[in-house]
Every structure is written in structure tokens, then in C-alpha cells.
Amino acid sequence: MEDKIKVTKVEYLLGFLFLVLCNFTSGDVIPGKTYILGAICLFYMIRNLEKLKVNKILICVLSYIVVGCLQYHYYGYFNKRAILEIPLLLLSGYFIVNYLGKKFPFIYFNLLFYFSVISLFFFGVMILTGFVPNLSIFDKVGYHSVFVYSIRDNEISDLRNCGPFWEPGAFGGYLVCIGILFFNRLDWLWKTYKRKCVVILIAIFTTFSTQTYVCLFLLFVFYILRRTSGAKLFGGIILSVAISVTVYTSLDFLGEKIENQLKLTKDIDNDSLNSANRFTTFLVEWSIFSKAPFIGNTNNPNILYKDYPFISWVVEENGGYGSGSGISTNLAIYGMYPFLIWLFFLFKNFKERMGVKSTLMCICLLLLLGNGEQYSDQILFLSLPFIII
């Protein structure tokens, strides 16, 4: 594939900017990325209006703008994220994946391989020498960074690999997404780029992320089961559940982590809210979503967490509240319509390219990843309805 597909420097640059917009910890050092790409997208759409089906992107963009306008009318709060930032991300992603076309998955895979190599180098240096790589120009509160690699303060002692992203689970999830983009050709990817795949798997292992491990395992199981049906499919699902339970009970660092989080979920008190684990925040955000399922509750903490004074206090003290969830956060903030529209177009796009069964399996993986990390309003997930797989 590398021999047949010629990737230009401009195309790699666009792929690089795409990954930076996947929420590099130090991504803010490149100003005006989405404004420039969004403007280019509009120009690109006008130039190629006859060839492009722009109805999908316009509907997705309008879904957020309309919600933002309704929130301004109802709450009196201007949700800049809904009205400006996410629409610009949608336009930027639409432009990049359309411009790159079938090259996009390969560029995504290749660039993440290089970031895996970089991350393993710096991660290894940190483990062996105790030196934490950083350049002050790229540092952010709570992080040390050299732009292409970041380490969150609490991951220095935990020894987990964040790559260039905000936490290890985010890095691991983006790596697992390679398997989704190549879902029906994983055997070919392994045979053709075995060394790169091994490096990526090692990088995944160094994240020590429960969610990433589970999704990686399910990715392989679904890939094996994608051509089966009936009793074989049912048996495969039962077997995968049995293996998951075995892994859960055998690997202490996975089992104890999940068990502790479930204990905190039993009573939603100040201790469990302060932990911001995925199970507790999912319950909180589902409760918030149920109060305004159509227009959401904005991203203003004073509105979003008005019924949870302890979280409001955490926001006031720390400047924010790190939710451990993703899709539930999206639903609580923006309501159901942007998510359902995204899901509908995602299903249509994947179904056209890989069939119903593979599509359902991939969506299952994406939803599992999406509720474990804040991917829902990041450029990769927003672009999935338009990606050529």
C-alpha cells in the first residue's frame, strides 16, 4: 500500500494537523487552526459543490448551532463551543478527510506509528532515568510536554504513557481506532506492516488503560466473529464474555481499579464525586441529561451542575471538573439531537463501506471508547460520518 499510495508533504501536514486537533495537550501553541481550516473547507465546498454531498456536514453543523441558539434563548448563556468551536471542528474534519480520501486511514496509521515511537522513547527515558521531558513553551497546568509527547503530573508516579494527548486512555483509544479504520483488513495490515503494528501494540500496553485493553480485546473478537452468524456468533460472544471475566479476576490492576470505582458509585456522595470516575460521572450526567434531553444544559458549570453543589465547589476551587465520561457528557451538555444525527450518519457511512454486521461491531467499539473518554466533540469522532474507510 505504501508503494502504491503516494502521500505528499501537504497531505501529511493535513494529517498532522488533524491529530493535533484530536486534542494534543499542547495544541494551543498553534493558533487559529480551526478558523483557517474551517475557512478552507467552505472554499473547498463551494469549489466542489457539484461533486460533494454537503447535506450531511451542513445538518451536523446546524445541529450544534441550533442547540447553542436555543440554549442562549432558554438559559441566557452563549455556548461558544456549540455555536462556533464544534462547527469549525466539523468543517475542518470534513475538509481533511474528503481531501485525503482513501489515503486518510493510512496517513492516520502511519502518523500514530511515529507518535508511538516518540512516546516509547520518552517514556523509556523517564522510566530508566527519572528525567521528565519538557520544554516550558509547551508546558500546561498539570502537564509536562515537548509538544509531540506529554506527561500528566499524576502519571509520572503511575508510569503510564500519555503520548501527545491528555491522558493514557485517550492515547490508547486513538491507537485502537486504527483497527476500526482498517476493520475488514486487519489481517492484511498485520501482514504488511507487522513491525509498525507491534510498536503500536507496545504503546497501547504502556497506557495501562482498562478501557483500551477491553476495546482492543473486543476489536480482535469482533474481527474474528464478523463473518460468522447463528450459533457460532452466539458462542463467540459467550466465549469473549468468559475470557473478559477471567482477565478481570486475574489481572489485579484491572480488577481492583474497576472494583474501587464501582464501590464509589453505590453512594453518590462528595467522595465519589471528587474521584470523578467514569461510573459515578455517568450516573450524574445521565441525571443531568434527563432534565433537559432536547436542548441540553450548556457547558457552563454553574448551569450544568446546579443540582450538585459539591461539583460546583470543585470547579470554583480547581477551575474545572474532570468528568470521567464522554458521550454522557456530550448528551448532558448538548442534548440528544446532535448525538443522534451523528450516530445516524455514522451508521449510514460505515454500512455503505463495510456492511451491517461490521458496522454494528465498530459502532459498539466506538460507543465504548466514546463513553470512556472525551472523544465525542473531538475532530476524529466528529469526522467519522465522512471518512472513507
Side-chain angles (χ1 to χ4, degrees), residues 157-355:
S157 57
D158 292 341
L159 295 178
R160 300 174 68 204
N161 187 359
C162 295
F165 302 105
W166 66 94
E167 75 159 16
F171 183 35
Y174 281 132
L175 292 174
V176 170
C177 282
I178 292 171
I180 295 173
L181 295 178
F182 287 92
F183 186 71
N184 281 336
R185 302 187 71 194
L186 280 178
D187 55 344
W188 172 86
L189 189 68
W190 174 257
K191 290 174 184 176
T192 310
Y193 300 105
K194 189 172 294 184
R195 290 181 182 178
K196 290 184 178 181
C197 290
V198 168
V199 169
I200 287 168
L201 287 172
I202 294 171
I204 287 175
F205 177 75
T206 59
T207 64
F208 293 99
S209 164
T210 308
Q211 167 198 281
T212 301
Y213 290 174
V214 170
C215 288
L216 181 65
F217 169 70
L218 289 176
L219 173 68
F220 292 138
V221 170
F222 288 165
Y223 179 70
I224 294 169
L225 297 178
R226 76 193 193 287
R227 298 189 186 281
T228 62
S229 58
K232 287 184 179 179
L233 180 61
F234 179 76
I237 293 172
I238 296 297
L239 180 61
S240 65
V241 171
I243 294 173
S244 298
V245 171
T246 302
V247 170
Y248 172 84
T249 55
S250 301
L251 297 180
D252 292 338
F253 79 92
L254 290 180
E256 288 178 10
K257 179 180 176 182
I258 295 174
E259 191 174 324
N260 290 335
Q261 291 193 1
L262 285 173
K263 285 179 182 177
L264 287 168
T265 307
K266 290 180 181 178
D267 297 302
I268 300 182
D269 54 17
N270 290 354
D271 288 336
S272 61
L273 290 174
N274 194 42
S275 75
N277 75 72
R278 291 187 178 99
F279 299 105
T280 302
T281 52
F282 173 81
L283 294 176
V284 168
E285 287 160 356
W286 187 258
S287 172
I288 293 171
F289 164 72
S290 66
K291 292 169 185 173
F294 302 111
I295 66 167
N297 299 268
T298 82
N299 59 348
N300 183 333
N302 295 325
I303 299 171
L304 188 64
Y305 299 118
K306 63 182 179 182
D307 295 328
Y308 295 90
F310 178 76
I311 297 180
S312 299
W313 176 82
V314 171
V315 172
E316 189 174 331
E317 289 291 308
N318 301 330
Y321 181 68
S323 170
S325 304
I327 289 173
S328 58
T329 307
N330 186 279
L331 289 169
I333 293 174
Y334 307 108
M336 67 170 71
Y337 291 121
F339 173 74
L340 290 178
I341 288 168
W342 171 82
L343 190 63
F344 173 73
F345 286 134
L346 170 66
F347 177 80
K348 280 192 68 176
N349 185 38
F350 275 37
K351 178 188 172 187
E352 180 182 332
R353 304 184 188 284
M354 62 170 63

